[in-house]
Amino acid sequence: MKIKNIISVLEEMSPLAYAEDFDNVGLLVGDSETESTGVLVCHDALETVIDEAVSKNCNLVVCFHPILFSGIKKITGKNYVERAILKAIKNDIAIYAVHTALDNHSQGVNKIFCDALGLTNTKVLIPKQNFIQKLVTFTVPDNADKVRNALFEAGAGKIGNYDNCSFNTQGFFTFQGNEDSNPVIGEKGKLHTGEEIKIEVVFEKHLQSRILKALFANHIYEEVAYEIYNLENSHQNIGLGMIGEFANEIDEKEFLQFVKEKMIADGIRHSAFLGKKIKKVAVLGGSGSFAIKNAIQAGADAFLTADLKYHQFYEAENKLLLADIGHFESERYTKNYIVDYLRKKILNFAIILSEENTNPVKYL
């Protein structure tokens, strides 16, 4: 199996288009045409992880955090990033990162976080903006079902928990082809009118080329009339963070102790106790200080995230319990999810969970 075939599965799990603009996801090191000997899944592709990949005969390392994040002009081995890259290149090991492509997925990092805590009725905390487009096209009634179904199969027409969604309007068309035309209906040089169906469907913008390919392949017109619009609607199933709730409310101290145990956290920093029960909880794996206001607006009793600075604890504004459980800790089960996903999709192939603990933060 080639690395590119494994990448196809990874992009089904976490489409690269879901990633934030600042991020660096996808294949970072290596040739996708290389035959893979095995996959090692880790949190951070450090030098020790590359050593582990070599020892376990895995020439593809799938990591959550991208080892290459910002620009790099030299690879001399002077820091941990350059040493990992050098070792990967020397040993013909490819590195692929998922990061915010999986952060933004409805079944990704934050759903994994919620599931670890047993939260239910979950929904995205910060829905992704400017990610939905609308296609409007026109065809004769006899061709409408074929076009519509092809668009659905290509990924169009999905709204929240519903699929095969479209809006259809009946009308009539007019056209007159010039001498170079070859109309399927009517004759060139003559004005023609007839019944037509206007079909409207929405889709995620990264699917545009696939949607148009399906449209052109299943439309009968010589010249296919279509329009594409960018919508301001937020995408309720894609975005950062998640909010859910416990079946029963829980005391604040008991809640933090429960989180500490479930997320295997050595320490939790938190804002002042408010003397109220915790039932509705917002989470955002990794650095999530930017979402404090979103958690408050969503009515959360508590917000769990990481990398909070001193003054950011004030932003709880006595409206919720704000807790920093640790960056690694908030994402700790992500690599397990990736391994489970790959093993279900790729049978009889070496998919190995890294044994390296790459958490750089230690507690006394």
Side-chain angles (χ1 to χ4, degrees):
M1 177 180 291
K2 291 187 176 182
I3 288 175
K4 68 179 182 181
N5 301 123
I6 300 170
I7 288 175
S8 294
V9 177
L10 288 166
E11 291 185 3
E12 289 176 5
M13 178 190 73
S14 52
L16 298 185
Y18 286 12
E20 295 297 305
D21 292 338
F22 65 79
D23 206 4
N24 189 31
V25 294
L27 186 63
L28 306 182
V29 176
D31 182 356
S32 64
E33 292 292 337
T34 302
E35 288 289 334
S36 179
T37 58
V39 181
L40 181 70
V41 180
C42 66
H43 202 79
D44 303 276
L46 303 181
E47 188 177 8
T48 54
V49 173
I50 303 302
D51 286 333
E52 182 183 11
V54 172
S55 69
K56 294 178 178 177
N57 195 33
C58 295
N59 66 348
L60 173 59
V61 170
V62 175
C63 53
F64 178 64
H65 288 140
I67 187 68
L68 273 172
F69 190 77
S70 55
I72 185 170
K73 294 183 178 180
K74 298 178 181 179
I75 306 179
T76 61
K78 68 179 181 182
N79 57 45
Y80 77 97
V81 172
E82 294 180 11
R83 287 192 295 273
I85 295 169
L86 275 176
K87 182 160 286 189
I89 293 172
K90 286 179 179 179
N91 290 279
D92 293 322
I93 292 175
I95 302 176
Y96 185 98
V98 295
H99 206 209
T100 58
L102 192 56
D103 273 313
N104 276 315
H105 198 287
S106 61
Q107 299 301 312
V109 175
N110 296 295
K111 182 62 163 64
I112 298 166
F113 197 164
C114 286
D115 288 347
L117 298 176
L119 299 175
T120 60
N121 300 323
T122 56
K123 63 179 181 180
V124 172
L125 181 63
I126 310 175
K128 199 167 182 63
Q129 304 294 316
N130 304 314
F131 202 71
I132 303 175
Q133 294 182 325
K134 177 191 278 190
L135 169 72
V136 179
T137 190
F138 312 82
T139 190
V140 292
D142 288 345
N143 184 227
D145 284 344
K146 183 179 181 181
V147 168
R148 194 183 300 111
N149 290 333
L151 294 174
F152 293 156
E153 290 178 10
K158 295 182 179 180
I159 303 175
N161 295 322
Y162 299 85
D163 55 27
N164 291 7
C165 302
S166 68
F167 187 77
N168 305 269
T169 312
Q170 290 185 322
F172 73 93
F173 65 84
T174 66
F175 72 78
Q176 180 173 319
N178 61 26
E179 60 182 14
D180 295 323
S181 66
N182 185 27
V184 176
I185 301 170
E187 300 178 28
K188 59 184 176 182
K190 293 184 179 180
L191 180 65
H192 187 75
T193 63
E195 293 184 10
E196 197 167 51
I197 303 293
K198 178 182 180 182
I199 303 171
E200 302 179 56
V201 291
V202 296
F203 60 92
E204 295 174 6
K205 67 179 184 180
H206 67 285
L207 298 175
Q208 184 182 122
S209 60
R210 186 193 305 178
I211 298 296
L212 291 179
K213 183 178 180 180
L215 173 64
F216 298 147
N218 291 276
H219 207 295
I220 65 170
Y221 287 179
E222 179 188 19
E223 296 288 350
V224 180
Y226 70 95
E227 302 162 1
I228 291 180
Y229 301 96
N230 291 317
L231 303 182
E232 294 185 1
N233 307 47
S234 59
H235 197 307
Q236 59 183 301
N237 284 340
I238 300 174
L240 293 169
M242 193 158 280
I243 187 165
E245 58 186 19
F246 290 117
N248 300 298
E249 58 186 20
I250 184 172
D251 177 78
E252 290 169 307
K253 290 184 179 179
E254 184 182 351
F255 164 71
L256 289 182
Q257 186 60 42
F258 173 78
V259 172
K260 185 177 180 180
E261 292 173 0
K262 289 295 182 179
M263 304 308 291
I264 317 177
D266 288 322
I268 295 180
R269 299 185 303 140
H270 62 87
S271 59
F273 287 129
L274 302 176
K276 69 176 186 178
K277 301 291 185 178
I278 304 296
K279 183 175 177 65
K280 198 170 185 181
V281 180
V283 306
L284 201 156
S287 303
S289 60
F290 61 89
I292 296 173
K293 290 182 179 179
N294 300 89
I296 293 173
Q297 290 170 357
D301 300 312
F303 177 40
L304 304 175
T305 188
D307 300 342
L308 296 176
K309 296 180 180 179
Y310 175 89
H311 290 94
Q312 289 170 336
F313 283 95
Y314 288 126
E315 295 178 25
E317 295 284 0
N318 294 320
K319 294 179 180 179
L320 50 58
L321 177 64
L322 181 59
D324 183 335
I325 73 167
H327 194 123
F328 178 89
E329 289 79 1
S330 68
E331 301 167 339
R332 72 159 54 251
Y333 299 117
T334 302
K335 63 180 182 180
N336 304 73
Y337 173 86
I338 297 171
V339 166
D340 291 342
Y341 187 93
L342 289 176
R343 285 176 177 171
K344 289 176 183 177
K345 295 290 185 176
I346 305 175
L347 304 178
N348 302 316
F349 194 78
I351 311 291
I352 300 172
L353 179 66
S354 173
E355 298 178 30
E356 288 292 313
N357 181 353
T358 58
N359 187 1
V361 181
K362 309 300 177 184
Y363 297 87
L364 183 63

